Amino acid sequence: SAAAMQRNHGALVTCEWLNLELESDRADDLRLVDATWYLPFSKHQPPEGSGGAIAEYEAGPRIPGSVFFDIDAVAATHPDGLQHMLPDEATFTAAMADLGILPSSRVVVYDRLGIFSSPRFWFTLKVAFGHPGHVAVLDGGLPRWLELGFPVETGEVQPSDRKVCYTDPPWRFSPACCWDRKAVEDNIKRRQAVHLDARPGPRFRGHAPEPRDDLRGGHIQGSLNVPYAEMLQ
């Protein structure tokens, strides 16, 4: 149930729990989202021969009934060409309508790498746009789902009959969810908040190249390094 999802799992649910939910009479309000995104020139780059995250989703395997969220496409355009900016309200609302997500929807997001890009979707939906329903990341993602032998789909994706239209767009962007450059620069001077950098240690220290050629190495002055990969089992 929704209460069990919140009480026992919070922002993280197990594959075992999800499989039971999909087999139950409670599945109607549950939306599954594949938010796979690959980081070039890293251990999270696309597998050899891959046509990209969307192509892999369309070919399968994928969790039955899941839809695809394109992190690159559902984003605001930055004047300096910066990628992966949070989307504006109109762009995000259109994407949620296409995915069939309502304010009442329970949402579980996964990716093909275990836990890598799926938390970005969780943050965007739950924190940046304040989704009132329950949103959770699938622990272990698609690799764990396959390991457990749970059902999957392959081949052509069937057109969704769950797309929606909103008479009053339900999501509003929360400016407090993120900082701009000025806020970061002010914090360097005032040190009112701890600034954490979740990249791997070598990139934080500037000892490893950035995935994109146009980015300098190193880190923001005064920031601390908490590599995300070290937080995962």
Side-chain angles (χ1 to χ4, degrees):
S1 67
M5 182 176 181
Q6 183 180 44
R7 181 176 64 253
N8 297 327
H9 302 280
L12 196 68
V13 295
T14 65
C15 291
E16 293 88 344
W17 176 89
L18 178 59
N19 187 54
L20 289 175
E21 284 295 290
L22 291 176
E23 294 178 344
S24 75
D25 58 4
R26 299 181 296 274
D28 285 348
D29 67 342
L30 184 60
R31 293 301 274 157
L32 306 181
V33 178
D34 180 336
T36 300
W37 178 82
Y38 290 119
L39 181 65
F41 310 111
S42 76
K43 68 177 183 179
H44 298 113
Q45 64 186 356
E48 185 175 353
S50 169
I54 298 177
E56 290 180 0
Y57 161 77
E58 292 175 343
R62 58 185 176 271
I63 298 177
S66 60
V67 292
F68 186 83
F69 180 80
D70 190 337
I71 291 175
D72 283 326
V74 186
T77 301
H78 192 277
D80 294 332
L82 299 178
Q83 298 180 332
H84 318 131
M85 308 302 289
L86 286 169
D88 57 36
E89 289 180 1
T91 300
F92 185 75
T93 297
M96 294 303 97
D98 284 344
L99 299 185
I101 294 177
L102 296 165
S104 58
S105 298
R106 295 182 297 154
V107 182
V108 175
V109 57
Y110 69 93
D111 63 60
R112 307 181 78 86
L113 293 169
I115 296 182
F116 178 57
S117 54
S118 49
R120 167 63 186 257
F121 177 82
W122 178 92
F123 172 85
T124 304
L125 179 59
K126 188 65 179 175
V127 180
F129 286 91
H131 183 64
H134 297 116
V135 187
V137 171
L138 184 63
D139 195 7
L142 185 63
R144 177 63 176 161
W145 185 268
L146 295 174
E147 182 181 83
L148 292 170
F150 291 150
V152 294
E153 293 176 341
T154 57
E156 183 178 356
V157 179
Q158 297 301 313
S160 173
D161 59 357
R162 298 177 70 172
K163 294 184 179 182
V164 296
C165 293
Y166 309 114
T167 54
D168 182 23
W171 289 283
R172 295 289 181 266
F173 179 71
S174 172
C177 78
C178 58
W179 282 8
D180 58 16
R181 177 173 175 170
K182 184 179 183 303
V184 173
E185 291 174 339
D186 288 345
N187 191 63
I188 291 174
K189 300 173 184 176
R190 300 177 183 177
R191 301 293 177 92
Q192 293 181 325
V194 176
H195 194 122
L196 299 181
D197 186 323
R199 295 175 302 158
R203 286 177 60 195
F204 175 81
R205 294 187 292 272
H207 296 165
E210 288 297 308
R212 297 202 302 272
D213 292 336
D214 56 344
L215 295 182
R216 293 180 296 164
H219 57 270
I220 293 172
Q221 181 180 344
S223 60
L224 303 178
N225 188 210
V226 183
Y228 74 89
E230 295 181 11
M231 302 294 107
L232 302 175
Q233 294 181 340

